Amino acid sequence: MMQLHFSPSMRSITISTNNGFIDFMKIKVAARHISYRTIFHTFLLLAFLLPFVFILTAVVTLEGVNKCSSFDCLGRRLGPRLLGRVDGSGRLVSDFYKILNQVKTEEIPDGLKLPNSFTQLVSEMQNNQYDAKTFAIMLKAMMEKFEKDIRESKFAELMHKHFAASSIPKGIHCLSLRLTDEYSSNAHARKQLPSPELLPLLSDNSYHHFILSTDNILAASVVVNSAVQTSLRPEKIVFHVITDKKTYSGMHSWFALNPIAPAIVEVKGVHQFDWLTRENIPVLEAVENQNGIRSYYHGNHIVGANLNDTTPRIFASKLQARSPKYISLLNHLRIYLPELFPNLDKVVFLDDDVVIQRDLSPLWEIDLEGKVNGAVETCKGDDEWVMSKRFRNYFNFSHPIIAKHLNPDECAWAYGMNVFDLRAWRRTNIREIYHSWLRKNLRSNLTMWKLGTLPPALIAFRGQVHPIDPSWHMLGLGYQEQTNVEKVKNAAVIHYNGQLKPWLEIGFEHLRPFWIKYVNYSNDFIRNCHIVES
């Protein structure tokens, strides 16, 4: 704080500060009578000088030179700056940059004890009188530690998310158990699906046949409900729901007790298809039973992974590729549709994580021009997360066999909503090609690709894919948080592919309403299993 001292005789005016600069400036006034004009000019001078005094005092304080006890000291420190000859602050910064560049290439000493916070670092600097280099080393070590902790936390988060996505929520598990129990005790839950008089329609090609393969009863109910409620002709819909043996009773109970007339629903277990024998699917038997494969999909995903050489995004992609569903027979069944439904000509295959928002009957009118698979291509569009997928995104092109036979720039396409011409399919060797490449990948210890069923299908259907309009099938709702909600509203089928399924608590809140609107929360089984709208 600056103070003005007027002498009793008004012969002098002294300016002093509380920073130790006593008699910082003294203005002596002549002995003769002081006129008002003189006083006016004196205060005018003071008004001009005081701001400079304040600025100089502040600079001295901030730069830590308050130990100077004389004007001479202040002049030596600040004079060159005022004269424009030397910029001490700039030189100080330049010197510090040199120290930082020097420390950047040095190793952190072993056993260096680091402060827990920046405040503690400043405190230790003051107490221990660190030089600039020691401070820089401490700062570098702290930053490296914090970066490492953040990376480890991110990878741990991805692991937890992977386990949450791979597990069965308590409510869905409860639903399956209660419906299975109902199947054994309630005759209505065991009634034939469909009723005997409707059985001929299961192979009537004038109807629109959907095929759904899943062991998730709640998800299956949403797919069927959404398709029927958005259809302009629900009486022409036939759903063929395929599930595994353990879920069959519960799945049958659900659709027996919750009919969706006028649509028709058939529920079949894989054990009820005579064609699905070991002789016809030997490769899948190997995939399900080989210890190395099971360890890959069910083992510790951190062991053997060098987290220093990967990014969270790549690690997340690898985790998704290790989902146990990829070795499930239900996930591979689509490659056997011509044999499983020998009397059908054209079908639409749906994944269980889709929602239908528009009438799909026009799909049966699309001319596939002799091709087998009507699908949305995933290499065109401005969405780098979803619509920029080419073969390079799915295959390991450092593998010589992959590099020799495939083109990394070839356009990929989407599984999950596909129009299949089964008549054209039966004239091809798609299934044999699929099996052949599965065997090659098994022999190469899964080094050709990691991601489930799509890579071998991309190879097997080469030359047999007819692109359909992207508005029919919108992807990425299970991993792309920035999904455009307006585009979601306009898509015919929305697909929650990815880890963040809408029936999981980790699903995106703003995308879940498109799915939950087709869940019947008033159903007794759903309420008793505490499946609530969130």
Side-chain angles (χ1 to χ4, degrees):
M1 181 182 295
M2 291 176 289
Q3 297 176 342
L4 297 178
H5 301 278
F6 294 87
S7 67
S9 64
M10 296 294 292
R11 292 178 179 275
S12 67
I13 302 173
T14 302
I15 305 172
S16 64
T17 73
N18 60 354
N19 289 332
F21 298 100
I22 305 301
D23 296 338
F24 180 81
M25 184 175 291
K26 181 179 290 186
I27 301 175
K28 293 185 179 180
V29 184
R32 68 178 183 272
H33 178 72
I34 302 175
S35 67
Y36 287 109
R37 183 170 181 172
T38 302
I39 294 175
F40 171 76
H41 285 294
T42 299
F43 276 98
L44 190 64
L45 177 64
L46 289 174
F48 177 76
L49 290 176
L50 285 176
F52 288 97
V53 174
F54 173 78
I55 292 172
L56 293 177
T57 305
V59 170
V60 169
T61 303
L62 290 174
E63 292 198 352
V65 295
N66 53 349
K67 294 182 180 179
C68 288
S69 59
S70 67
F71 185 77
D72 178 64
C73 173
L74 181 64
R76 289 198 309 271
R77 296 298 299 270
L78 300 178
R81 294 187 196 179
L82 297 177
L83 296 175
R85 293 194 302 233
V86 178
D87 185 353
S89 176
R91 185 177 62 214
L92 190 65
V93 172
S94 177
D95 290 343
F96 192 59
Y97 283 158
K98 291 178 181 178
I99 294 172
L100 289 177
N101 284 326
Q102 177 186 352
V103 170
K104 183 171 63 175
T105 59
E106 292 187 9
E107 295 292 331
I108 303 298
D110 293 334
L112 182 64
K113 186 177 180 180
L114 299 177
N116 294 321
S117 65
F118 182 76
T119 302
Q120 185 179 346
L121 174 63
V122 173
S123 176
E124 290 187 7
M125 282 179 58
Q126 294 174 338
N127 295 334
N128 300 326
Q129 296 294 309
Y130 288 160
D131 57 28
K133 183 175 181 181
T134 303
F135 168 73
I137 290 176
M138 295 289 288
L139 194 61
K140 176 186 178 182
M142 288 180 65
M143 291 180 65
E144 289 184 356
K145 179 180 181 298
F146 291 152
E147 287 178 356
K148 181 181 178 182
D149 291 345
I150 291 172
R151 278 179 61 84
E152 290 178 354
S153 297
K154 183 62 178 177
F155 287 123
E157 176 193 352
L158 292 172
M159 281 299 303
H160 294 322
K161 189 178 292 184
H162 171 72
F163 290 133
S166 302
S167 62
I168 301 174
K170 184 186 297 183
I172 293 179
H173 183 62
C174 165
L175 183 65
S176 180
L177 292 178
R178 284 179 176 268
L179 287 167
T180 299
D181 182 66
E182 195 73 11
Y183 184 85
S184 64
S185 60
N186 185 347
H188 292 289
R190 296 192 302 271
K191 70 179 181 181
Q192 186 173 346
L193 287 178
S195 57
E197 65 273 15
L198 298 177
L199 287 176
L201 301 182
L202 297 179
S203 57
D204 188 336
N205 284 294
S206 66
Y207 281 71
H208 299 146
H209 294 266
F210 292 92
I211 299 175
L212 172 65
S213 177
T214 180
D215 60 355
N216 187 327
I217 298 172
L218 187 64
S221 73
V222 168
V223 176
V224 175
N225 287 343
S226 63
V228 173
Q229 291 181 34
T230 57
S231 175
L232 298 178
R233 300 183 64 190
E235 71 279 1
K236 298 293 291 184
I237 289 179
V238 178
F239 256 97
H240 305 267
V241 180
I242 307 173
T243 190
D244 56 20
K245 190 172 184 177
K246 67 175 173 33
T247 314
Y248 170 77
S249 299
M251 188 76 74
H252 188 107
S253 293
W254 175 265
F255 288 106
L257 298 173
N258 300 279
I260 56 166
I264 299 167
V265 176
E266 172 192 34
V267 177
K268 295 195 74 172
V270 292
H271 58 289
Q272 295 174 322
F273 287 98
D274 295 335
W275 187 85
L276 288 175
T277 64
R278 289 173 178 263
E279 290 73 24
N280 289 325
I281 53 171
V283 175
L284 296 185
E285 288 290 333
V287 168
E288 287 192 313
N289 295 326
Q290 189 182 89
N291 289 333
I293 304 299
R294 294 191 65 81
S295 175
Y296 176 81
Y297 284 99
H298 293 280
N300 189 327
H301 302 333
I302 291 290
V303 173
N306 189 351
L307 300 183
N308 294 324
D309 293 337
T310 188
T311 65
R313 178 176 175 178
I314 293 174
F315 185 66
S317 176
K318 289 181 177 180
L319 284 178
Q320 184 180 342
R322 296 178 75 161
S323 172
K325 74 175 185 178
Y326 291 127
I327 60 173
S328 166
L329 178 58
L330 288 175
N331 202 42
H332 289 268
L333 274 182
R334 69 194 84 189
I335 202 67
Y336 306 119
L337 294 182
E339 291 78 19
L340 300 182
F341 299 95
N343 298 317
L344 296 182
D345 295 338
K346 201 172 192 179
V347 300
V348 169
F349 184 90
L350 298 171
D351 276 353
D352 65 358
D353 53 355
V354 306
V355 174
I356 292 87
Q357 303 187 124
R358 198 167 73 218
D359 178 48
L360 297 186
S361 58
L363 291 175
W364 276 264
E365 300 171 7
I366 295 177
D367 182 4
L368 298 183
E369 300 177 0
K371 303 295 178 64
V372 171
N373 182 4
V376 168
E377 291 183 316
T378 55
C379 66
K380 299 174 182 177
D382 56 2
D383 188 338
E384 64 173 340
W385 283 85
V386 180
M387 300 300 287
S388 63
K389 301 294 191 297
R390 297 181 180 272
F391 274 31
R392 68 167 63 90
N393 298 103
Y394 297 99
F395 297 99
N396 174 20
F397 276 88
S398 64
H399 195 289
I401 296 179
I402 293 295
K404 179 180 179 181
H405 291 90
L406 303 181
N407 177 5
D409 294 322
E410 189 167 343
C411 189
W413 45 267
Y415 250 169
M417 197 289 291
N418 302 85
V419 184
F420 288 124
D421 184 336
L422 301 186
R423 291 174 301 178
W425 192 336
R426 294 184 185 102
R427 295 192 292 267
T428 70
N429 61 344
I430 288 174
R431 174 164 57 91
E432 288 72 20
I433 296 174
Y434 187 89
H435 280 181
S436 173
W437 279 91
L438 274 179
R439 291 189 187 96
K440 290 177 182 178
N441 197 33
L442 284 172
R443 287 196 295 266
S444 70
N445 198 27
L446 300 182
T447 56
M448 292 184 178
W449 68 81
K450 301 291 187 184
L451 190 60
T453 57
L454 181 55
L458 290 174
I459 300 174
F461 283 99
R462 290 179 80 191
Q464 296 292 344
V465 178
H466 178 80
I468 63 176
D469 192 279
S471 66
W472 284 113
H473 186 188
M474 184 176 186
L475 298 151
L477 278 70
Y479 63 88
Q480 171 60 306
E481 186 174 10
Q482 304 303 320
T483 298
N484 187 304
V485 173
E486 289 303 315
K487 290 184 179 180
V488 173
K489 294 177 181 177
N490 296 325
V493 175
I494 55 175
H495 194 172
Y496 292 83
N497 59 311
Q499 290 182 315
L500 309 184
K501 305 300 184 187
W503 55 81
L504 299 174
E505 292 184 4
I506 60 175
F508 296 126
E509 291 292 336
H510 65 295
L511 299 178
R512 186 178 286 127
F514 296 97
W515 185 84
I516 63 177
K517 67 187 291 187
Y518 295 106
V519 178
N520 181 11
Y521 290 100
S522 63
N523 180 274
D524 288 340
F525 288 96
I526 289 180
R527 285 192 299 105
N528 292 334
C529 286
H530 306 291
I531 300 174
V532 296
E533 186 173 355
S534 57

